[in-house]
């Protein structure tokens, strides 16, 4: 039977293989349910021209497809590096029971994968962020929210 360290070794192995193959950055992830790996992911940002194709997101998509659900309760995520803000958000939305990581965000920053600026930007008021951001047509957009509130067809999450 595999344990936490065995699963982490699999995520690390994926990260190494991804670098060696030239398919993307040094990141790997596995998702485990009931002691078995149900999904794997590696970084495919540059090979697919998809900035969201981080190892954790790729693994989450595969796990959700495998389980036919949008939530990963009862699952554990093992990732070769502390998740970036996007991946951490995706992990929280997926709602696994546990998250394990190997390299730290400081380790990633040391090899030019530095997400600190994103953490800093998120903490700022919108008007002070580097990315120009302007709210438009809130009243019109709110119609969808009201319809959602009243809908009998929604799936709560």
């Amino acid at each position: 039977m595999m344990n936490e360290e065995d699963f982490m070794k699999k995520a690390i192995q994926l990260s190494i293989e991804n670098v060696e193959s030239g398919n993307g950055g040094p990141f790997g992830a596995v998702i485990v349910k009931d002691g078995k790996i149900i999904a794997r992911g590696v970084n495919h940002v540059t090979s697919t021209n998809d900035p969201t194709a981080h190892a954790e997101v790729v693994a989450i998509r595969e796990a959700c497809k495998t389980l036919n659900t949008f939530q990963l309760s009862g699952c554990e995520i093992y990732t070769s590096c502390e998740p970036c803000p996007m991946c951490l958000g995706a992990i929280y939305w997926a709602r696994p029971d546990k998250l394990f990581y190997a390299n730290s965000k400081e380790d990633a920053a040391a090899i030019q994968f530095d997400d600190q600026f994103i953490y800093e930007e998120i903490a700022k008021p919108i008007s002070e962020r580097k990315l120009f951001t302007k709210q438009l047509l809130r009243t019109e957009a709110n119609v969808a929210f009201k319809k959602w509130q009243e809908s009998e067809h929604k799936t709560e999450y």
Side-chain angles (χ1 to χ4, degrees), residues 39-145:
R40 293 167 176 77
V42 294
N43 180 285
H44 285 297
V45 171
T46 56
S47 61
T48 62
N49 294 319
D50 179 354
T52 69
H54 290 202
E56 298 91 335
V57 172
V58 171
I60 288 168
R61 290 174 180 162
E62 182 181 318
C64 288
K65 186 175 182 181
T66 297
L67 297 175
N68 195 32
T69 183
F70 57 89
Q71 292 187 343
L72 298 177
S73 57
C75 294
E76 301 169 353
I77 297 180
Y78 295 81
T79 182
S80 64
C81 187
E82 185 175 356
C84 75
M86 177 186 71
C87 292
L88 189 58
I91 290 165
Y92 270 94
W93 277 113
R95 294 177 173 84
D97 291 356
K98 297 178 181 179
L99 166 66
F100 301 89
Y101 68 91
N103 288 314
S104 69
K105 62 184 177 182
E106 292 80 14
D107 296 329
I111 61 163
Q112 307 309 309
F113 287 96
D114 190 356
D115 301 317
Q116 187 58 39
F117 77 97
I118 298 172
Y119 289 106
E120 291 170 5
E121 284 291 298
I122 289 170
K124 293 178 183 177
I126 291 172
S127 63
E128 294 177 21
R129 294 181 185 166
K130 291 178 184 171
L131 176 64
F132 175 83
T133 305
K134 180 180 177 181
Q135 185 175 27
L136 294 172
L137 302 176
R138 179 178 179 213
T139 302
E140 291 83 348
N142 211 279
V143 171
F145 281 12

